Amino acid sequence: MDKAVVPAEKKQYQEIGEDLRAQIIHGHYPVGSRLPPERNIAETYGVSRTIVREALLMLELQGTVDIRQGSGVYVMRIPEEHENEEERLLKSDVGPFEILQARQLLESNIAAFAAKMATRADIDNLRRIIEQEQRAIAANDNSQDNSKMFHLVLAAATQNQMLLATVESVWHHMDSSPLWQQFNVHIASRAYRLKWLGDRQTILAALRRRDVMGAWQAMFQHLENVKKSLLEFSDEDAPDFDGYLFESVPLFQGKLV
């Protein structure tokens, strides 16, 4: 006897995205109109703006809205009421903030361990990737994913194949996640690439010093910067935005000896 398939429970950002989508369908927001500021939406639903941002990314991914940095979120089309709902939910199972939280917990500790375990060859490989990204930025070349390469080589520098396989699995999920790819559309500019390059140079400097805590902090801060960039790209209504809602608490309290 075949087992019944239990539908996956909707995440909070999915529920809010579906409710906003329903309001658009029923004429509350016509094409060309602007949705309320994120702060207002967050207050309406009693959630953080992190959740609202993921809901809006989901709607942008569906082509329903357009998120414009410094301007707001605009309705682009009126979706069909029963338009591939199951497919949309399956594709939107994990939001970018959830991915970044997992990466921050995992990769910060990997960087700390790599500071102890990396060989000279590992350090040289990481340096070459950084130099390759410098040349790519200068040439406006997006053909290679030097970011992914850096993080995988860093994981390999722990000399632990299980840690490398875990990081590979996380990046595979990001590569196949429509929401993550939509997020990347907003941080593909030269300015962001230069910022991430500087972060990686700081990580590499800590590895060269065999600075375990410095490597942990550098990776933690890098992923914190990525999270903050996700909060910034359409935040036109809050010059003093409530960033305290999204602060991460470092969990590393000891030393690797």
Side-chain angles (χ1 to χ4, degrees), residues 101-113:
Q101 183 181 58
R103 287 187 61 197
Q104 199 168 44
L105 291 168
L106 173 66
E107 294 190 55
S108 298
N109 287 286
I110 283 176
F113 192 42

Side-chain angles (χ1 to χ4, degrees), residues 57-100:
L57 276 172
M58 186 180 81
L59 292 177
E60 185 179 49
L61 176 64
Q62 297 166 9
T64 302
V65 304
D66 181 33
I67 301 174
R68 303 174 189 172
Q69 185 171 2
S71 179
V73 180
Y74 293 84
V75 177
M76 300 303 292
R77 70 180 183 96
I78 306 299
E80 297 292 332
E81 191 161 2
H82 303 292
E83 182 181 86
N84 298 323
E85 181 176 1
E86 182 179 356
E87 181 180 349
R88 287 198 316 275
L89 292 177
L90 285 174
K91 286 184 175 180
S92 305
D93 58 340
V94 178
F97 283 101
E98 193 169 350
I99 291 172
L100 285 168

Side-chain angles (χ1 to χ4, degrees), residues 6 42 46 69 75 83 106-107 113 134 150 158 209 227 246:
V6 179
Q69 185 171 2
V75 177
E83 182 181 86
L106 173 66
E107 294 190 55
F113 192 42
Q134 288 175 317
F150 180 90
T158 63
R209 296 192 305 269
K227 285 199 295 184
F246 317 111

Side-chain angles (χ1 to χ4, degrees), residues 20 22 35 38 49 64 73 90-91 123 126 130 136 144-145 147 160 174-176 199 209 215 218 229 232 237 241:
L20 290 171
L35 295 185
E38 288 176 3
R49 281 168 54 192
T64 302
V73 180
L90 285 174
K91 286 184 175 180
I123 298 295
L126 290 167
I130 285 176
Q144 284 189 306
D145 193 345
S147 172
N160 184 307
M174 291 192 294
D175 289 341
S176 59
D199 287 351
R209 296 192 305 269
S229 72
E232 289 168 358
D237 64 301
F241 76 98

Side-chain angles (χ1 to χ4, degrees), residues 133-167:
E133 176 67 356
Q134 288 175 317
R135 293 191 294 271
I137 293 172
N140 198 27
D141 179 6
N142 296 300
S143 61
Q144 284 189 306
D145 193 345
N146 293 311
S147 172
K148 177 179 180 179
M149 196 180 308
F150 180 90
H151 286 271
L152 292 181
V153 171
L154 178 60
T158 63
Q159 318 307 323
N160 184 307
Q161 290 301 307
M162 194 65 222
L163 290 175
L164 173 58
T166 303
V167 174

Side-chain angles (χ1 to χ4, degrees), residues 1 46 55 66 98 131 195 198 219:
M1 181 177 177
D66 181 33
E98 193 169 350
E131 291 172 350
K195 184 174 181 61
M219 179 62 78

Side-chain angles (χ1 to χ4, degrees), residues 1-255:
M1 181 177 177
D2 293 338
K3 293 182 179 180
V5 176
V6 179
E9 184 179 350
K10 290 183 183 179
K11 292 184 180 292
Q12 200 169 25
Y13 78 87
Q14 291 173 331
E15 293 177 347
I16 293 171
E18 290 296 304
D19 192 62
L20 290 171
R21 179 176 173 274
Q23 292 183 49
I24 293 170
I25 290 171
H26 294 112
H28 294 287
Y29 303 107
V31 172
S33 66
R34 187 169 69 175
L35 295 185
E38 288 176 3
R39 185 191 302 276
N40 294 16
I41 297 175
E43 290 174 353
T44 297
Y45 290 99
V47 299
S48 73
R49 281 168 54 192
T50 298
I51 300 296
V52 173
R53 181 62 57 85
E54 291 184 328
L56 294 174
L57 276 172
M58 186 180 81
L59 292 177
E60 185 179 49
L61 176 64
Q62 297 166 9
T64 302
V65 304
D66 181 33
I67 301 174
R68 303 174 189 172
Q69 185 171 2
S71 179
V73 180
Y74 293 84
V75 177
M76 300 303 292
R77 70 180 183 96
I78 306 299
E80 297 292 332
E81 191 161 2
H82 303 292
E83 182 181 86
N84 298 323
E85 181 176 1
E86 182 179 356
E87 181 180 349
R88 287 198 316 275
L89 292 177
L90 285 174
K91 286 184 175 180
S92 305
D93 58 340
V94 178
F97 283 101
E98 193 169 350
I99 291 172
L100 285 168
Q101 183 181 58
R103 287 187 61 197
Q104 199 168 44
L105 291 168
L106 173 66
E107 294 190 55
S108 298
N109 287 286
I110 283 176
F113 192 42
K116 286 180 63 70
M117 302 299 295
T119 66
R120 176 62 181 271
D122 294 325
I123 298 295
D124 287 343
N125 285 335
L126 290 167
R127 176 183 53 78
R128 279 191 286 269
I129 293 168
I130 285 176
E131 291 172 350
Q132 184 170 288
E133 176 67 356
Q134 288 175 317
R135 293 191 294 271
I137 293 172
N140 198 27
D141 179 6
N142 296 300
S143 61
Q144 284 189 306
D145 193 345
N146 293 311
S147 172
K148 177 179 180 179
M149 196 180 308
F150 180 90
H151 286 271
L152 292 181
V153 171
L154 178 60
T158 63
Q159 318 307 323
N160 184 307
Q161 290 301 307
M162 194 65 222
L163 290 175
L164 173 58
T166 303
V167 174
E168 286 176 332
S169 177
V170 172
W171 279 84
H172 175 75
H173 186 91
M174 291 192 294
D175 289 341
S176 59
S177 165
L179 271 179
W180 181 264
Q181 295 306 317
Q182 192 65 29
F183 166 41
N184 270 336
V185 168
H186 295 281
I187 58 167
S189 70
R190 185 173 186 273
Y192 278 120
R193 290 180 72 184
L194 285 169
K195 184 174 181 61
W196 310 149
L197 180 66
D199 287 351
R200 292 185 198 108
Q201 288 171 326
T202 302
I203 294 167
L204 179 58
L207 293 178
R208 280 175 159 161
R209 296 192 305 269
R210 298 289 185 188
D211 181 353
V212 171
M213 194 60 197
W216 188 95
Q217 290 174 329
M219 179 62 78
F220 188 94
Q221 188 59 51
H222 167 56
L223 293 169
E224 191 74 2
N225 291 340
V226 177
K227 285 199 295 184
K228 287 178 179 177
S229 72
L230 179 55
L231 291 166
E232 289 168 358
F233 66 73
S234 67
D235 217 3
E236 86 292 344
D237 64 301
D240 57 340
F241 76 98
D242 45 350
Y244 64 89
L245 288 176
F246 317 111
E247 287 179 355
S248 299
V249 179
L251 300 179
F252 189 94
Q253 299 295 332
K255 291 184 178 181

